Amino acid sequence: EARKFNRFYFSGAVDLACDKQGRILVPQYLKEYAGIKKDVIIVGVSNRIEIWSKDRWKDFYDNTKDTFEDIAEKLTEDVI
């Protein structure tokens, strides 16, 4: 099940190269999937980055911040 999850989750990942000015071009299908029109938020997640639509990130953050401690407690219960 973990392999299936990872396979599906990371299937949208893509290797990108920077241009001479250090910019990356996000493929159109990923911009559409993420709802990116103009402004983005870059989020560091472990050993990778995520590029979010500014509006979608705000929605996610606002809906998740109050449950962060509950999520952390639930995840650490499985480890301990």
Side-chain angles (χ1 to χ4, degrees):
E1 291 302 308
R3 282 191 302 235
K4 285 182 191 177
F5 175 83
N6 283 332
R7 189 174 296 125
F8 182 78
Y9 184 77
F10 290 109
S11 66
V14 62
D15 284 329
L16 299 171
C18 294
D19 68 10
K20 291 179 183 179
Q21 294 181 332
R23 300 173 299 189
I24 58 171
L25 180 62
V26 177
Q28 185 63 34
Y29 76 96
L30 290 177
K31 289 193 288 187
E32 290 171 4
Y33 177 79
I36 295 172
K37 293 179 177 58
K38 183 177 179 181
D39 295 328
V40 300
I41 300 294
I42 297 176
V43 181
V45 181
S46 188
N47 63 350
R48 65 182 190 280
I49 63 168
E50 293 179 349
I51 302 172
W52 286 68
S53 151
K54 184 178 179 180
D55 294 332
R56 286 193 182 177
W57 173 256
K58 183 178 179 339
D59 290 343
F60 170 80
Y61 183 84
D62 290 345
N63 291 321
T64 307
K65 67 182 177 183
D66 292 335
T67 62
F68 177 76
E69 287 185 28
D70 294 334
I71 294 168
E73 188 174 314
K74 191 178 291 184
L75 289 173
T76 57
E77 284 174 359
D78 294 338
V79 175
I80 296 177

